[in-house]
Amino acid sequence: MTRKKILKLCIVAALLDFLIGCGKTTEVTTKHVGILKDPQTLSLQDVASSQLAPLSLGEANYLLLASETRGLVLIGEDGSEIAALDGGSVERFALQARGGGHWLVAAYDEDSGKIQLRGLEPDAQGRPRFQFLGDMAVDAPQAALCFSRQKDRIHLFAIDESGLGREYLLLPRASSWGFSEVRPLYFGEQVSSCAVDNARGKLLVAQPPLGIWRLNADAERDEAREVFVAPDRQGADFGGLWVDAAAGHLWVAAESGVWAYDLRRPLSEPLFSRSLDGVAPVSVAVAGGKLLALEEESNAVLRFAVPLPEPVAEIQAFRGAVSMPHVAARAQTAPVASGGDAADDPAIWVNPRNTEESRILGTDKKRGLNVYDLNGKLLQALPVGRVNNVDLRPLDHARFAALAAASNRTTPGVSLFGITADGEVESLGLREMDLADPYGLCLSRKDGGLFVWMSDKQGDLHLAEIRLGENPLQWQLLPRARQPLAGLVEGCVADDERGQLFYAEEDRGIWRLDIDAFVAGEGQPQLVARVDGDKLVDDIEGMALYLNGDSSYLVVSSQGNNSYALFSRDGSEFVGRFRVDINPELGIDGVSETDGLEVTSAALGADYPQGVLVVQDGRNRLPSAAQNFKLISWTEIADALALQ
């Protein structure tokens, strides 16, 4: 082992010490409760297997084995061979039930350097057979493979020998299944196995001698990586993870023996701990009430009759996946140029002459303002500084069809933009405001006047008037009023027709303000919808109004649970909520961590006959890229929520 690799392992081990308890040493404690002896042996012929997994087809039970000489081998309960590929070299595979008594197998074949997908199902005579479904060449040998079922989709996690992992969405096709990369995952060297706890939506990864990691399997959630089993449990050489979903157990094969843990409880005491007399297992499972074990490159399955741990008392479904309606995006914009948390807030300009030529304005809060068409193509990038939020209003003007304003944090103030009838956006400069850190922004209109509301991240909500002169570059910004804020506010939207302003206090709820009364010094904001951990989960971010007569709604980003809440137009009544999920056919990922959003009820062509909702995507996946904006047809939202 090189000095560099040793140093890397020492650093990670030190971090693990910190994660599982400051000052705690990582002495190896592999004490077992008993030794298992005298197993029943199922002898195999020319298999050289290092992984097994039980499965059922029809009323019969089988064992699937990886084979370094014959690819994959299926045997019966008595050890008789049922089916085999008789070609290829496989050490690792993943197995997933597909329903209807069929199974899906992913295996890394060392001879071809490919991950191969196969179906396992009965033939016309009821005998199990392998069916080739597709494959994908990979750059490095794969150390771990495991499936994840997410809603009605199957995902595959593949981690190579360098520790670089990738999540793939599998796309069933008549000719050949496809692999669409969702995101990369980084672990470092010496990963030996992975498994997925679908009940809780967790990916488990064994990385000896560092321990077993647990993290969220859903790419639209925070990774939330944690130590599930500390490195002082199994010793320095372990792997062979297998999930007993029915019992709620994680089984671990180690050089020192076999362990089982409660899948609900990280860093808990093992439910089962046995050494195997003279055996160093690399793969274990439970079938028919017995413990099954394999040694490395073995030609024998060992079956132990031993009391097994009872199923956990309570097997809870993954609470993060609260059932709610889902919709999918029809389009997405090109990623912003800046990395990290950069895309923030969109605005929609409806082209009155040709609505299909409308524009989306989106902020890159590290660089400037972007302009996109309805297909998401980047048309303009205006490098005006760190603009955070943007809003616009139509304008009756000789040169411009609309004005857009954005909060600018490079030089604290408001950046103004003119939008021509052809959809070209021109920068009209910046006017400074006496704010420590400009944050949220929205516009309102009253009697032909244009007003801007802007929050200070370290202060209040400010109202100013924008006055456009004969020369558009010589506009004025005139302070008018100030509303004290108790908490942080970014999202806001004005209902010009009713003279109301809505703003979101991120950890408290939605406030409504009568604008005329406020300007007259008489109005006070009302809290119309509270953060309750259910309908609204903090942070509360973007807000917009879908205006269409009696079918008008306030749309709010409930960032804490990656959803969008609809309220009545006045904000007083909750109507429903939804999430934006993957669109596999178009290769567009779901949406999470949304900051800003905008919506219009204008018909924008065949894809958006009832309007469009545009939302910022905090995690741009499929594949991973810089943040962007997603476009969702309002028709799909109305159908999902059964709106009138």
Side-chain angles (χ1 to χ4, degrees):
M1 183 180 292
T2 65
R3 291 179 61 188
K4 185 176 180 181
K5 186 182 295 184
I6 293 171
L7 178 61
K8 184 189 299 182
L9 288 174
C10 290
I11 292 171
V12 177
L15 288 172
L16 276 168
D17 276 345
F18 178 77
L19 286 170
I20 63 177
C22 294
K24 181 179 178 180
T25 60
T26 55
E27 296 179 3
V28 175
T29 57
T30 57
K31 185 177 180 180
H32 288 278
V33 182
I35 301 174
L36 299 183
K37 300 180 179 181
D38 303 322
Q40 177 189 5
T41 300
L42 300 180
S43 297
L44 311 172
Q45 184 174 359
D46 190 27
V47 174
S49 180
S50 297
Q51 185 182 355
L52 60 77
L55 61 94
S56 298
L57 278 172
E59 298 181 357
N61 298 317
Y62 303 94
L63 286 178
L64 181 63
L65 301 165
S67 173
E68 294 192 29
T69 56
R70 301 169 62 195
L72 294 169
V73 176
L74 187 72
I75 65 172
E77 289 184 290
D78 60 357
S80 60
E81 186 172 308
I82 306 299
L85 296 183
D86 284 329
S89 178
V90 173
E91 286 190 36
R92 294 286 178 265
F93 65 81
L95 182 65
Q96 173 68 49
R98 292 180 59 194
H102 297 183
W103 294 81
L104 183 65
V105 184
Y108 172 68
D109 177 49
E110 293 185 357
D111 290 347
S112 65
K114 295 180 178 180
I115 297 175
Q116 300 176 342
L117 287 179
R118 284 183 168 82
L120 182 56
E121 57 192 52
D123 62 15
Q125 288 73 42
R127 288 181 55 84
R129 66 184 179 99
F130 292 105
Q131 179 186 12
F132 179 79
L133 299 176
D135 59 19
M136 176 184 63
V138 289
D139 296 332
Q142 302 298 295
L145 298 169
C146 49
F147 284 118
S148 168
R149 181 169 287 281
Q150 300 181 25
K151 302 182 181 66
D152 57 348
R153 305 182 304 271
I154 297 178
H155 294 234
L156 175 68
F157 291 97
I159 306 172
D160 69 26
E161 61 182 9
S162 72
L164 174 60
R166 288 184 172 88
E167 178 185 357
Y168 298 97
L169 170 64
L170 300 184
L171 303 172
R173 295 169 181 158
S175 56
S176 179
W177 283 40
F179 297 74
S180 189
E181 183 177 332
V182 177
R183 59 168 166 166
L185 293 161
Y186 304 96
F187 295 98
E189 296 176 347
Q190 296 184 234
V191 168
S192 61
S193 181
C194 69
V196 173
D197 176 9
N198 283 310
R200 294 160 193 82
K202 299 293 185 179
L203 170 65
L204 299 140
V205 178
Q207 190 176 16
L210 304 178
I212 297 174
W213 302 102
R214 186 172 79 162
L215 55 152
N216 283 322
D218 186 349
E220 296 297 345
R221 294 173 57 83
D222 287 334
E223 190 178 278
R225 188 178 302 201
E226 62 182 343
V227 179
F228 184 75
V229 178
D232 59 352
R233 282 295 181 195
Q234 290 85 214
D237 191 1
F238 58 88
L241 304 184
W242 182 74
V243 167
D244 185 346
H249 299 155
L250 173 68
W251 288 86
V252 183
E255 186 177 27
S256 59
V258 179
W259 309 73
Y261 295 92
D262 185 339
L263 280 166
R264 302 169 303 171
R265 298 190 173 96
L267 299 175
S268 62
E269 292 296 315
L271 303 173
F272 181 95
S273 174
R274 301 287 192 279
S275 62
L276 308 184
D277 188 25
V279 175
V282 295
S283 180
V284 294
V286 171
K290 293 182 172 58
L291 176 67
L292 309 179
L294 267 180
E295 290 192 276
E296 189 171 7
E297 299 180 11
S298 177
N299 281 306
V301 175
L302 306 179
R303 182 184 287 163
F304 294 89
V306 59
L308 299 172
E310 293 294 323
V312 297
E314 181 184 8
I315 301 179
Q316 295 179 329
F318 175 39
R319 291 192 179 276
V322 176
S323 177
M324 70 174 70
H326 287 77
V327 299
R330 291 283 184 89
Q332 62 181 336
T333 68
V336 298
S338 303
D341 185 19
D344 196 278
D345 192 44
I348 303 169
W349 175 67
V350 177
N351 187 333
R353 299 192 301 187
N354 182 359
T355 58
E356 294 187 26
E357 292 297 322
S358 297
R359 297 288 185 259
I360 297 167
L361 280 61
T363 59
D364 177 342
K365 59 189 177 186
K366 297 181 179 180
R367 186 179 297 251
L369 185 70
N370 293 337
V371 183
Y372 309 91
D373 65 17
L374 293 181
N375 294 316
K377 180 181 178 181
L378 178 64
L379 303 177
Q380 291 180 262
L382 291 81
V384 294
R386 297 188 300 122
V387 289
N388 201 76
N389 283 47
V390 62
D391 198 7
L392 61 82
R393 286 293 187 275
L395 183 69
D396 184 11
H397 189 270
R399 182 172 172 181
F400 298 118
L403 283 181
S407 53
N408 198 315
R409 302 172 78 177
T410 299
T411 301
V414 174
S415 291
L416 197 66
F417 306 87
I419 305 174
T420 70
D422 294 327
E424 291 291 320
V425 178
E426 299 179 15
S427 174
L428 302 180
L430 176 141
R431 299 296 181 267
E432 295 185 27
M433 290 185 71
D434 186 19
L435 278 70
D437 190 3
Y439 198 37
L441 175 145
C442 57
L443 296 177
S444 65
R445 187 186 293 281
K446 171 71 173 178
D447 297 331
L450 185 63
F451 299 86
V452 59
W453 301 80
M454 189 155 67
S455 65
D456 188 340
K457 202 168 185 179
Q458 300 178 24
D460 301 332
L461 181 63
H462 297 255
L463 173 64
E465 183 179 358
I466 297 173
R467 285 189 180 176
L468 196 65
E470 291 186 10
N471 182 346
L473 295 175
Q474 295 178 350
W475 58 280
Q476 294 178 291
L477 186 65
L478 307 174
R480 292 299 184 219
R482 176 184 297 189
Q483 169 63 41
L485 298 175
L488 188 61
V489 169
E490 181 177 8
C492 65
V493 64
D495 187 335
D496 294 340
E497 183 179 329
R498 294 187 175 184
Q500 295 176 331
L501 176 76
F502 298 90
Y503 62 87
E505 187 177 345
E506 293 188 354
D507 61 358
R508 191 172 179 191
I510 301 169
W511 295 85
R512 184 180 66 210
L513 180 66
D514 183 290
I515 296 175
D516 286 344
F518 167 71
V519 172
E522 301 172 356
Q524 292 297 322
Q526 295 177 286
L527 185 62
V528 294
R530 292 182 179 273
V531 168
D532 60 2
D534 181 24
K535 301 178 184 68
L536 289 176
V537 183
D538 58 340
D539 290 344
I540 308 304
E541 296 281 349
M543 308 178 73
L545 283 164
Y546 180 85
L547 298 176
N548 185 28
D550 293 337
S551 299
S552 296
Y553 305 97
L554 177 66
V555 187
V556 182
S557 167
S558 177
Q559 193 181 76
N561 64 347
N562 296 326
S563 71
Y564 307 89
L566 262 64
F567 291 85
S568 58
R569 181 175 177 175
D570 65 0
S572 63
E573 295 182 20
F574 176 74
V575 175
R577 59 183 178 173
F578 63 94
R579 289 193 173 110
V580 179
D581 201 3
I582 288 177
N583 188 329
E585 290 75 19
L586 296 180
I588 302 175
D589 64 308
V591 180
S592 56
E593 289 283 329
T594 288
D595 285 324
L597 57 80
E598 185 57 282
V599 67
T600 179
S601 62
L604 304 182
D607 285 339
Y608 310 108
Q610 294 179 270
V612 65
L613 171 68
V614 181
V615 301
Q616 181 261 1
D617 186 6
R619 299 185 184 94
N620 189 16
R621 309 294 198 187
L622 207 64
S624 288
Q627 295 176 341
N628 69 348
F629 301 91
K630 302 293 197 288
L631 286 71
I632 303 101
S633 172
W634 189 265
T635 301
E636 190 167 346
I637 296 169
D639 290 345
L641 298 183
L643 301 178
Q644 299 299 318

